[in-house]
Amino acid sequence: MSEYAEIDLGNGSRSKLQILHGTEGPSAIDVRPLYQSNGVLAYDPGFKSTASCKSAITYIDGEQGILRYRGYPIEELAKKCTFTEVAHLLMLGELPYAQALGDFTQTIHDHNVLHEQVLSFYNGFRRDAHPMAVMVGVVGALSAFYQDLQDYSKSEHRHKAAIRLFAKMPTIAAASYTYSIGRPQRYPDNRLDYSSNFLQMLFGRPNQAYEVDPVLAKAMDLLMILHADHEQNASTSTVRMAASSGANPFACIASGIATLWGPAHGGANEAVLKMLEEIGTPANIPLAIKRAKDRNDPFRLMGFGHRVYKNLDPRAAIIRDMTKAVLKHLNMENDPFMAMALELEQAALADEYFIEKKLYPNVDFYSGVLLRAMGFPSRMFTALFAVARTSGWVSHWLELKNNEHGIDRPRQIYVGSGLRHVDR
Ligand code: SDX
């Protein structure tokens, strides 16, 4: 039985709008008739109250701190699955077993090498180029290499493009790091799992064997799972908007990488480390909290706050615990950055401003501390996030291509000059 909301538009007319419900989460008022029937727009800059689409991939409850991929709680996926299994779940809708996992892994192995000419692209960048700048450029250029995948109305073309992107992203990210330090690129080693392979491409040298530390490989796999998808965040929404125009998937994912780079989004993990370095010592934490609360001070507590979570980001809790375990494994239990992060979290969570505004640590707060301990330069943190989020981006691309609704084209409230004429 359909439900409706009736609203008075203030110009003597009323509009009867249907109320839509999903499996879980907030309901939505279908405002599509507003403009079609009444010539009135809905206004929501920042989309704080807007559902841009229907999706079956990820569910978030910000009040409860709930995150589920295809119905499975993130805590269970983190504990019981590998990132390859989670990527299969996101892209194809189900956790793979036996044969399906073997087939999926084989398709990744078939597509994780880069065309040699793609590797020559890197030479066009300065050695000190930010890895995200390199990744945006290289991924966007992949559309020039796959002329055979032009007809995305065909499901097999769509899935081949999605797999190519998912399989190649670690190779692309690793090359953006090794290029920056002048180390020859190692090729993928298909005897290894996805995350171990990524680590050997990042840190292995071409002239000697590289022993992947199983504890670090597990930590990397867990980070990949936690960063894989997150509903309609800014970068995923960008991918979907680009996809709605019919742009090829490589260009769509490049637009997602560009959006993720922002410090308010995926760039926050790098910004957290810079913030911890800027704070310097625990003695400066009260001043940092004071500055973060001052609306006239641009200083923000990076890694804190979230548009959806008004409770602890469930990913932050898992990463915090994993960081402690990895630091212990690396005999770095006295890591100053971890000590500072823990003390900063305690101070913020006890402060009225953060309590009242429901600002908690998010996925980026501890990930930088962990990645630094694992040997990553801070400029690579967001590149790692992009590798993980590629599984989510291509899943949303596939979902949109399977349910196309036409080009996304928001309107505006025009506040510029009225009609005037050139008088010369
Ligand atoms: C990610 O969307 C996703 O799902 C993203 C992500 C994903 O997986 O894709 O989860 C990944 O991007 C995590 C967020 C990483 N960004 C940061 O850690 C940067 C620091 N955080 C803030 O910039 C902010 O919290 C946002 C951008 C994350 C959310 O901003 P909102 O929802 O627009 O909230 P807001 O800016 O309107 O803030 C509400 C109030 C404001 O105070 P008032 O104007 O009401 O007085 O809270 C304050 C803000 O000033 N506030 C902060 C703060 N975050 C918000 N004050 C101090 N420090 C902060 N970090």
Side-chain angles (χ1 to χ4, degrees):
M1 166 59 165
S2 299
E3 292 172 80
Y4 291 88
E6 192 156 348
I7 58 169
D8 181 342
L9 297 172
N11 53 9
S13 65
R14 301 179 67 78
S15 186
K16 194 175 171 192
L17 303 172
Q18 188 174 2
I19 296 176
L20 307 175
H21 298 280
T23 316
E24 298 195 63
S27 55
I29 296 176
D30 185 346
V31 295
R32 284 175 292 183
L34 261 186
Y35 188 71
Q36 289 156 5
S37 316
N38 305 87
V40 173
L41 297 173
Y43 180 61
D44 184 19
F47 308 124
K48 294 190 176 185
S49 300
T50 292
S52 60
C53 63
K54 291 180 179 176
S55 178
I57 299 172
T58 291
Y59 173 67
I60 302 173
D61 179 326
E63 295 304 324
Q64 304 297 319
I66 290 172
L67 168 58
R68 297 184 198 139
Y69 296 160
R70 301 279 188 190
Y72 292 102
I74 192 68
E75 295 82 0
E76 290 181 31
L77 294 169
K79 199 174 291 172
K80 300 178 180 176
C81 297
T82 66
F83 177 51
T84 300
E85 290 167 331
V86 168
H88 184 285
L89 172 67
L90 290 170
M91 292 165 72
L92 301 170
E94 295 297 337
L95 283 170
Y97 294 97
Q99 187 58 45
L101 179 59
D103 294 347
F104 186 65
T105 303
Q106 188 54 53
T107 55
I108 295 167
H109 289 169
D110 294 343
H111 293 289
N112 57 14
V113 174
L114 286 179
H115 191 295
E116 283 299 308
Q117 282 176 258
V118 173
L119 283 171
S120 66
F121 267 15
Y122 287 79
N123 296 323
F125 291 97
R126 287 172 42 143
R127 295 283 179 182
D128 63 354
H130 195 289
M132 289 297 278
V134 175
M135 289 181 74
V136 168
V138 171
V139 172
L142 284 181
S143 41
F145 284 86
Y146 298 113
Q147 313 293 346
D148 62 324
L149 274 182
Q150 293 301 344
D151 184 359
Y152 296 118
S153 65
K154 293 191 178 114
S155 167
E156 67 272 20
H157 279 203
R158 294 201 294 271
H159 281 274
K160 192 168 182 182
I163 278 290
R164 271 182 165 146
L165 280 156
F166 177 65
K168 293 181 194 305
M169 207 56 80
T171 314
I172 290 169
S176 67
Y177 171 58
T178 52
Y179 175 75
S180 74
I181 55 174
R183 183 191 301 157
Q185 170 62 18
R186 274 172 72 111
Y187 289 94
D189 177 347
N190 287 340
R191 292 166 297 180
L192 301 172
D193 63 69
Y194 192 92
S195 294
S196 301
N197 204 355
F198 187 27
L199 288 175
Q200 71 86 11
M201 287 192 283
L202 283 160
F203 298 125
R205 297 174 183 282
N207 58 347
Q208 62 193 51
Y210 179 78
E211 203 58 40
V212 176
D213 179 329
V215 172
L216 300 190
K218 175 68 185 155
M220 176 53 69
D221 214 55
L222 198 47
L223 281 172
M224 292 282 154
I225 291 171
L226 297 174
H227 286 79
D229 193 57
H230 213 238
E231 197 212 64
Q232 303 308 319
N233 58 84
S235 53
T236 300
S237 298
T238 303
V239 168
R240 289 185 80 117
M241 181 167 273
S244 77
S245 76
N248 71 70
F250 306 100
C252 294
I253 300 307
S255 70
I257 296 171
T259 306
L260 185 72
W261 193 2
H265 190 11
N269 49 23
E270 183 177 355
V272 167
L273 220 63
K274 283 199 182 95
M275 174 188 72
L276 292 175
E277 283 165 343
E278 185 186 328
I279 293 172
T281 68
N284 295 335
I285 286 177
L287 174 61
I289 297 283
K290 182 168 179 284
R291 287 188 60 198
K293 291 157 53 172
D294 180 355
R295 292 171 68 111
N296 300 316
D297 188 329
F299 179 82
R300 272 271 186 286
L301 218 47
M302 301 312 280
F304 258 76
H306 199 277
R307 172 61 59 77
V308 178
Y309 289 123
K310 302 310 171 190
N311 202 322
L312 179 62
D313 182 333
R315 301 168 295 177
I318 298 171
I319 294 174
R320 178 180 55 208
D321 295 344
M322 178 175 52
T323 304
K324 288 176 183 171
V326 167
L327 289 174
K328 186 166 185 230
H329 171 72
L330 297 173
N331 296 317
M332 294 173 63
E333 287 154 292
N334 300 322
D335 178 66
F337 284 88
M338 184 61 172
M340 179 98 75
L342 288 167
E343 199 162 327
L344 188 56
E345 178 185 6
Q346 290 311 312
L349 295 183
D351 184 282
E352 200 39 52
Y353 172 94
F354 290 87
I355 294 168
E356 185 254 327
K357 293 182 186 297
K358 297 184 178 178
L359 302 174
Y360 292 86
N362 59 47
V363 67
D364 293 301
F365 188 63
Y366 286 102
S367 58
V369 175
L370 171 57
L371 291 169
R372 176 183 166 277
M374 290 172 71
F376 289 98
S378 58
R379 311 183 91 205
M380 277 300 290
F381 294 178
T382 312
L384 303 178
F385 195 154
V387 172
R389 188 52 58 90
T390 296
S391 57
W393 289 330
V394 297
S395 302
H396 283 271
W397 180 77
L398 289 170
E399 182 177 68
L400 180 138
K401 297 303 281 185
N402 291 329
N403 308 285
E404 300 220 60
H405 58 219
I407 193 164
D408 291 343
R409 204 294 188 191
R411 299 298 306 278
Q412 63 176 21
I413 295 178
Y414 176 68
V415 294
S417 302
L419 174 63
R420 53 183 176 163
H421 298 285
V422 177
D423 57 0
R424 64 192 63 181

